[in-house]
Amino acid sequence: MDKLQLANKVMNPKYLPTVPAEVCKYGKNEVEEICKWLGAEGETDGLIDSNRMVKDNLQFKMVLKHMKGRTLKVVCQEIISSFQDMFPDYVVLAKYILTAPVTSVACERCFSIQNRLKT
């Protein structure tokens, strides 16, 4: 859930500050945490290029600024469909947001059904 909150803070335009000086600083720590989580560690290949994601952060925030007022779901869908080449690392993050379950209720229901079927 912590990872989902980090992703929400980076991708959701409602949290983006309106003051230009604050926009530059906004979300840097969250992007660094996401890079640690999805980036390459040691000998394993990551899902994202951490250096590129950090480098593209300011430009991404400028694009996000123009999406103010849209829901997180709509923003993620638009990032995936329109900015695949420009922000591939943020596309990975958007896909994660759209596919991550917010709760484990559905999974727990499936286990309950499975246990009933087994008996």
Side-chain angles (χ1 to χ4, degrees), residues 1 11 37 42 46 98 107 113:
M1 196 57 142
M11 299 290 288
W37 166 48
L98 292 176
C107 183
I113 291 169

Side-chain angles (χ1 to χ4, degrees), residues 104-117:
S104 63
V105 172
C107 183
E108 297 296 334
R109 281 189 189 131
C110 290
F111 284 128
S112 295
I113 291 169
Q114 174 187 339
N115 289 338
R116 284 193 301 259
L117 289 174

